[in-house]
Amino acid sequence: EIKDIAKKNLVEYWGLAVVALLMYSVLLGIGVNFAFSFSNGFKVSSNSSSSIIAVFLAPVTIGYLSVHYNIYKNDNPDFSDLFKGFRDDYFTKVIVLFVKQLFTVLWFFVFIIPGFIKAFSYSMTEYIIQDDYFKEDGINAITLSRKMMDGHKIELLGLLLSFFGWFILTALTAGVLWLYVGP
């Protein structure tokens, strides 16, 4: 049902969805690649500064999800929604997303299965903090996500598995198919 509604609403906003996907990819890619290059004398390798820059660019994800959420609701989506994460309580959003990732990683240290369960439990956090109606303390978004996902984790797993074939085809096309699958 979710996929059908999204497809129906995407017809009118396909260009916006593709441009938002490209801009989202470019912003995250430039930030992380710059961190790799800068801290290693402009040699590409993994390091902690890329993680720090990725944390501060995390609100881009909120904006990207906001674009698609507004397309899904057919609520006048706009390209400026992509930068919504940088408006209003930027540091709160950065902290919440950092804490969410920290909790998820810590659960993965416990064991793989609890890590996946908690990743699914926390999966609505970005959607909650991008919502204009959510005015509570940011960390409560993680708790609210956990409560919202009680009894729905298997449904989310089913939704993700329904895209498995598309993920394989996307990999086979060197990511080009993501312009269709991503939105």
Side-chain angles (χ1 to χ4, degrees), residues 117-135:
I117 291 170
K118 286 303 179 177
F120 284 166
S121 292
Y122 304 150
S123 64
M124 296 295 117
T125 304
E126 289 89 349
Y127 289 99
I128 293 168
I129 59 178
Q130 69 87 33
D131 195 345
D132 292 330
Y133 297 107
F134 184 74
K135 299 294 182 199

Side-chain angles (χ1 to χ4, degrees), residues 30-55:
I30 287 174
V32 172
N33 285 332
F34 177 77
F36 282 154
S37 299
F38 179 73
S39 65
N40 289 307
F42 294 99
K43 296 176 190 168
V44 176
S45 68
S46 175
N47 60 50
S48 61
S49 65
S50 65
S51 299
I52 292 168
I53 287 181
V55 165

